[in-house]
Amino acid sequence: MNLEDYLLFFLVWVGHSAIWLVALNVLYSRPYPRQILRLARWAVGVIVFGFPLLVWATVGLDFGPLRTKGPDSIWLSLEVYLALCLGMSCWCIPLVTLIRLLRPSPPALVSRRSEIVDVARELNEKPVGDGEYRWLALLPGNQCFQIEFTELTLKLPRLPQAWHGMTILQLSDLHLSGTPDWRFFEKAIERAMRDGPPDILALTGDFVDTDNHHRWLLPLLNKLDWNEAAFAILGNHDIWHRPERIRRRLTRLGIEMLSDCWRTVEIRGGKLVAIGHEGPWYRGEPDLTQCPENHFRLLLSHTPDNIGWARKNGVDLMLSGHNHGGQIRLPVFGSLFVPSRYSRRYDCGLFWKPPTALHVNRGLGGKEPIRINCRPEVTRIVLQKA
């Protein structure tokens, strides 16, 4: 064995891992029971990390002798699979990474600025709380208490002139579960309100991650304010924790639930069509057959996977969360685990898919409170007439 053999073995393992991670990403985008998803996650972990041992026990670390084992279908299939893994590692991954790095700035984006607030530093301690996975919050390098407050200025073609300068505040994926604790979210909301109430408040799902943290919703979100309208949808984690209770509490705060439906709202003399799409986990797609076509359309969709539906239905601006930016992002390469049928394509950030501008918020929380090179995010969007 020499260095080239070890390098070849490593590249094959990387390609093998990528194939199974993509499969897991796609699986997690579907509305399967969480027991099945949890089992699949463990199975993929075993497949990925057990692969080196299995190959070593079967053929050793040198793949050369595979060609001498004859035309038996088992050995031929193994050789084809190893070649596929090598191709994934040497061609697909570098090509996709290069495309992502060279992706041009969306034409709708005028400017982007951000400020990072370290809540642990402001509190003089880490607001770890008492959640099930609180030990993850203490890992070195974890940025789960550092919030990036992002302001995006967007020029959109169909925006009414009267709405020039209108603001939207997007909060997503709180995943209230005890970690981070109450003070973290309180600080996040206080800072989000520091620049004044937005014209529109958009909450894009995954509010709770236990059956006991609904009680946090009213006192926390009661600190939010807005000028014109507030909308919300639920996410996939909410369906596991008494979703109707969440809807009732948000409604009590004056936030309108867009549960696979649409509403027309008059703002500054113009008409806004606000749409909520909670698929694929809830009732299905909103029925837009009676929806006016000549008004600006704002879509709240927990998952960005509904981008195809948005484009087909002439949505101007789509706000999503769900993917958390991957939570763990490697330098250059980016995200790994992204629960989307598009895998890493819409992990976070702004995308232009005419006629739709899509923004994917990284969210404030997560069931597992770990963020590596992927801070939590709160987004304020300023709209301009193109």
Side-chain angles (χ1 to χ4, degrees):
M1 291 290 294
N2 53 42
L3 183 60
E4 291 182 359
D5 293 326
Y6 286 111
L7 178 60
L8 179 62
F9 188 87
F10 175 75
L11 290 174
V12 168
W13 178 69
V14 169
H16 163 81
S17 302
I19 290 171
W20 285 94
L21 273 175
V22 169
L24 185 65
N25 289 343
V26 173
L27 183 69
Y28 257 74
S29 73
R30 306 308 304 154
Y32 298 130
R34 56 178 169 172
Q35 293 85 357
I36 293 178
L37 295 176
R38 189 180 296 120
L39 180 62
R41 197 170 178 177
W42 278 104
V44 169
V46 171
I47 291 171
V48 167
F49 293 103
F51 174 79
L53 294 176
L54 178 63
V55 173
W56 175 76
T58 306
V59 298
L61 300 181
D62 182 6
F63 298 140
L66 266 178
R67 298 187 180 91
T68 66
K69 292 185 179 291
D72 187 274
S73 59
I74 295 178
W75 298 111
L76 181 60
S77 300
L78 178 58
E79 189 173 357
V80 170
Y81 179 72
L82 295 178
L84 177 64
C85 294
L86 187 61
M88 173 68 76
S89 185
C90 294
W91 293 100
C92 294
I93 293 176
L95 181 60
V96 170
T97 302
L98 184 63
I99 291 173
R100 287 167 61 91
L101 292 175
L102 297 179
R103 184 173 59 202
S105 177
L109 180 63
V110 176
S111 65
R112 180 188 187 278
R113 64 186 182 91
S114 64
E115 176 189 357
I116 296 171
V117 175
D118 190 335
V119 175
R121 181 177 298 175
E122 290 194 357
L123 295 174
N124 293 318
E125 64 173 340
K126 293 183 177 182
V128 175
D130 59 358
E132 179 183 0
Y133 299 102
R134 56 187 175 274
W135 59 274
L136 286 172
L138 298 174
L139 292 177
N142 194 348
Q143 299 172 321
C144 67
F145 302 128
Q146 300 175 21
I147 307 173
E148 184 171 5
F149 290 87
T150 305
E151 181 180 283
L152 301 176
T153 301
L154 306 182
K155 276 191 175 182
L156 299 176
R158 292 211 308 166
L159 191 78
Q161 186 64 45
W163 293 0
H164 186 84
M166 190 169 73
T167 57
I168 301 175
L169 177 66
Q170 183 189 7
L171 294 176
S172 193
D173 296 87
L174 276 66
H175 288 274
L176 301 177
S177 63
T179 299
D181 72 18
W182 168 280
R183 296 170 298 167
F184 171 83
F185 297 100
E186 189 175 46
K187 286 286 186 182
I189 292 174
E190 286 177 359
R191 172 60 184 81
M193 290 289 100
R194 194 183 73 181
D195 296 329
D199 294 303
I200 297 173
L201 173 67
L203 306 177
T204 47
D206 275 1
F207 292 93
V208 300
D209 241 322
T210 77
D211 290 335
N212 302 317
H213 284 83
H214 300 80
R215 56 190 173 86
W216 284 18
L217 288 172
L218 288 177
L220 271 178
L221 301 185
N222 189 48
K223 301 176 185 298
L224 292 169
D225 196 9
W226 56 89
N227 295 325
E228 302 287 351
F231 306 108
I233 56 171
L234 299 189
N236 58 307
H237 283 240
D238 297 320
I239 199 173
W240 301 330
H241 302 289
R242 303 178 184 178
E244 293 309 315
R245 177 182 289 186
I246 302 172
R247 295 187 200 277
R248 286 197 303 270
R249 298 197 175 196
L250 294 179
T251 301
R252 284 174 58 186
L253 292 170
I255 299 170
E256 186 160 8
M257 297 302 303
L258 297 175
S259 304
D260 287 315
C261 63
W262 57 274
R263 297 284 186 272
T264 301
V265 181
E266 184 169 341
I267 298 177
R268 300 181 189 176
K271 297 287 188 179
L272 170 71
V273 175
I275 309 167
H277 194 325
E278 295 181 334
W281 300 285
Y282 294 86
R283 299 182 181 89
E285 298 179 348
D287 182 2
L288 301 186
T289 53
Q290 302 299 318
C291 182
E293 296 183 359
N294 57 338
H295 300 325
F296 187 92
R297 292 186 173 186
L298 170 67
L299 171 65
L300 274 60
S301 169
H302 181 62
T303 173
D305 286 4
N306 292 323
I307 181 61
W309 184 92
R311 298 179 68 189
K312 182 176 68 175
N313 288 279
V315 169
D316 297 279
L317 177 61
M318 175 177 172
L319 303 179
S320 298
H322 184 55
N323 290 340
H324 300 193
Q327 291 196 210
I328 298 175
R329 299 178 67 86
L330 302 180
V332 182
F333 179 78
S335 55
L336 297 173
F337 176 61
V338 181
S340 167
R341 67 179 180 181
Y342 298 105
S343 195
R344 305 190 302 138
R345 184 184 301 180
Y346 302 116
D347 53 2
C348 62
L350 184 69
F351 304 88
W352 176 242
K353 297 295 176 182
T356 305
L358 163 65
H359 181 257
V360 184
N361 184 289
R362 295 195 301 270
L364 270 174
K367 184 175 183 179
E368 292 87 9
I370 184 167
R371 298 272 184 159
I372 305 296
N373 198 27
C374 184
R375 293 180 175 91
E377 180 182 32
V378 173
T379 310
R380 184 178 285 252
I381 298 172
V382 182
L383 301 180
Q384 292 186 359
K385 174 66 176 175

